[in-house]
Every structure is written in C-alpha cells, then in structure tokens.
Amino acid sequence: MSDILDVSHQREAIAKAAAYLSGILEPHFKKTAKFEPPRTLIICGSGLGGISTKLSIDNPPPITIPYQDIPGFKKSTVPGHSGTLMFGSMNGSPVVLMNGRLHGYEGNTLFETTFPIRVLNHMGHVHNLIVTNAAGGINAKYQACDLMCIYDHLNIPGLAGQHPLRGPNLDEVGPRFLALSDAYDLELRKLLFKKWKELKIQRPLHEGTYTFVSGPTFETRAESKMIRMLGGDAVGMSTVPEVIVARHCGWRVLALSLITNTCVVDSPASALDESPVPLEKGKATHAEVLENGKIASNDVQNLIAAVMEEL
Ligand code: HPA
C-alpha cells in the first residue's frame, strides 16, 4: 500500500478484511450464544503478549487468526510480537486481542499500522480500546518496571506531518478536524487506578504524558532531555497512531505503559573530561525492554483482566 490511499481504496481494503473476519466469526456467533461480538480491543505491547493468557480457554475457546491470513493486514516483524488476532472472552467480557502490534518503523504506513482498528470499527461492535506498550522513562521519578497510565500525549512525527489521519477523510467514520484534548477516557483511567488499588499492586502506577517517536533508534541524550523539557513523562515508538484512529472512530481509550528502562538525559562524557562517566552507562537495549517487560508483565495482565471485568 502506498503512503496515502484514496478514500475508495481505503473503504475497499477495510470492507474486504472485515468480510474475511466476519466469514470466520459469524458461524461461531450462530453456534454458541456464549460467543459474543467483542466490545473491546486490547493491543499487546512489546513483551506483553502474555495478556492473552487471561483469555478464557473454554468459555468459549478463543479463535486465533494470524495477521498474514487477513487481507490487508501486515505481518509483525519484531521479536516479542506474535502477530495474531484472538477473539474470545476475558473475565466474562467479549474481547478481541491484537497479540503483536504493527509499528511504523517496520516499514508500515500509518494506515497499515492502524488498519486493524479501522476494520474492527467497520464490523461495528468494538467501542473500547485498551492499548499497552513498553516505554522509556523520561520523568526523573520513574523507575524501570513502574507503570504509567497515559493521560495525554506528544505526537512528534504527527506534529511534523506524519499523521495517521493525513489524507482524505473517512467522513462516515469521524470528523476531518478531530479534537484530541479528551483522548484518554477519564472514567477508564479511574477504573484502572481502582483496580490497581484493589489488586494491591506494589509497583507504582503513575499518570503521565506519553511521547510518540518514530524509532527504531532509542533516543539520544539530547532528544531525551528535549522530551523532558516538552513535558513528556515517557517515550515510545507506538500507541499514538492507534489512539488517534480509535478516537476518530469514536471509541473510548485506555492506555497503559510499562516503563522498561530509564532514558539518559545527562550530557555525554566529554573528550575534555579527566575521568568521564562511561558513555555506555544507561544505554537502552531491546533485550532490557523485553526482560523488564517480563518482570512486570504479570501485574499488567492482572490489571487488564480486572478492568475487563467491568467492560
Ligand atoms: N525509547 C523509545 N521506545 C522505547 C523505549 C525507549 O527508551 N523503551 C521501550 N520502548
């Protein structure tokens, strides 16, 4: 797919994928009353595919569809992202799960990255998005393995013209000029904090601003410092395109970051310094992101499952 599709091609691609999914799901809806159309989409972030273990295994058993079988869906190419759509039930609430997300840095256009949301919206049942991600901590108070409920975002590529709503507008879905001052649903955020308290989760749950960068490089020190100065609390390479498209569809959004590493904001070691701090100190790695993801992922899974109880 090219960067910008005209409206008729967008509509055609969306309808084709929706028809494919309906063809698989409809017989299940008919066969068992227990299998209801999902009201909520959960997107699993890096290392957070374990959320799928919270799907009910037999009431009804989940239906798993690989992205590569769905027309127009791109494949997930990143370690820690499996690439399947799973329809089932979590804590009694019907749900669809994206086990593995699509990123712009993999070479996907923002239309392709957010295509699953468009397709599910076309199918007409989903109206909640729960999105999770791994993020770097920018706020000095944040530590690796803390959690952050997103209450606002900085869309750095979007401010510079790489925006998921760029191009012809799907008027039947949402407005041309979408307000994002209310992007992160207050009731859902309150629910998340309530569940965090009820579950007595020990790791901190902050509330803050997520900064979207395109990646795939981790930030330089100067970039991390800039993000902190701009008011960002965490930084990552995902989430914001999906949130924007979900809001365009009129869905409610809850977004949760797992802080997998802390970003380095101090100036680099100087060549003029007699005993410089080693330059590699604090350097981010994908292995660290996945490792810390593993440590905190149980809490994330339990939190999401508890929220699902009420959706
Ligand atoms: N920067 C950008 N994306 C990330 C980071 C980071 O430090 N950690 C996890 N995802």
Side-chain angles (χ1 to χ4, degrees):
M1 285 181 202
S2 75
D3 184 14
I4 301 288
L5 290 182
D6 62 47
V7 198
S8 59
H9 281 98
Q10 286 189 37
R11 288 192 184 116
E12 202 179 297
I14 292 164
K16 193 168 165 196
Y20 174 83
L21 290 175
S22 296
I24 294 178
L25 298 172
E26 294 293 335
H28 292 274
F29 295 148
K30 284 200 187 116
K31 212 163 48 194
T32 161
K34 276 187 189 155
F35 195 79
E36 283 178 69
R39 295 188 287 270
T40 303
L41 166 66
I42 301 176
I43 302 180
C44 304
S46 289
L48 292 169
I51 295 170
S52 64
T53 60
K54 294 292 174 184
L55 287 172
S56 157
I57 48 166
D58 57 0
N59 195 25
I63 298 162
T64 302
I65 307 171
Y67 292 168
Q68 68 235 39
D69 291 356
I70 310 170
F73 269 52
K74 302 302 279 190
K75 268 198 292 200
S76 214
T77 63
V78 189
H81 290 266
S82 92
T84 53
L85 209 52
M86 301 177 83
F87 290 83
S89 144
M90 192 180 287
N91 259 341
S93 186
V95 69
V96 50
L97 206 124
M98 278 180 73
N99 198 349
R101 68 141 50 81
L102 303 164
H103 306 84
Y105 65 72
E106 294 173 82
N108 302 311
T109 64
L110 290 177
F111 180 74
E112 289 165 339
T113 304
T114 55
F115 186 63
I117 295 172
R118 294 274 183 219
V119 172
L120 291 165
N121 188 59
H122 186 82
M123 293 169 74
H125 304 288
V126 176
H127 53 258
N128 301 310
L129 171 66
I130 300 180
V131 52
T132 61
N133 62 52
I138 291 284
N139 187 314
K141 294 193 187 122
Y142 292 9
Q143 290 186 351
C145 298
D146 286 359
L147 304 176
M148 183 185 91
C149 174
I150 301 178
Y151 73 170
D152 207 349
H153 73 228
L154 286 166
N155 180 4
I156 305 274
L159 292 174
Q162 257 192 286
H163 195 286
L165 302 185
R166 182 173 162 255
N169 187 54
L170 289 166
D171 291 328
E172 71 279 20
V173 176
R176 167 80 294 183
F177 300 106
L178 175 72
L180 287 176
S181 48
D182 60 349
Y184 298 90
D185 191 89
L186 183 57
E187 290 309 313
L188 292 180
R189 281 187 274 133
K190 284 185 178 167
L191 177 61
L192 185 76
F193 276 93
K194 184 177 114 181
K195 295 297 179 184
W196 172 76
K197 266 195 205 132
E198 280 174 13
L199 291 171
K200 298 189 169 53
I201 292 177
Q202 293 306 305
R203 68 187 71 259
L205 173 60
H206 309 283
E207 199 173 24
T209 297
Y210 177 89
T211 310
F212 171 51
V213 293
S214 71
T217 47
F218 290 112
E219 296 64 46
T220 64
R221 293 156 182 266
E223 286 162 354
S224 295
K225 204 192 293 182
M226 175 192 80
I227 292 169
R228 185 181 280 182
M229 285 164 61
L230 291 177
D233 296 296
V235 58
M237 307 173 195
S238 67
T239 301
V240 166
E242 295 107 307
V243 167
I244 292 172
V245 171
R247 290 300 295 148
H248 191 242
C249 296
W251 296 6
R252 297 196 302 161
V253 171
L254 177 66
L256 178 63
S257 293
L258 194 167
I259 305 298
T260 49
N261 55 288
T262 50
C263 297
V264 190
V265 292
D266 300 329
S267 300
S270 165
L272 303 172
D273 203 338
E274 294 279 307
S275 50
V277 178
L279 197 55
E280 60 275 12
K281 193 163 178 279
K283 194 165 107 173
T285 65
H286 189 59
E288 179 191 25
V289 168
L290 293 181
E291 197 47 47
N292 285 332
K294 254 188 238 156
I295 293 169
S297 63
N298 255 347
D299 283 345
V300 173
Q301 291 164 28
N302 292 336
L303 253 179
I304 300 292
V307 167
M308 280 305 298
E309 222 166 45
E310 314 223 1
L311 292 183

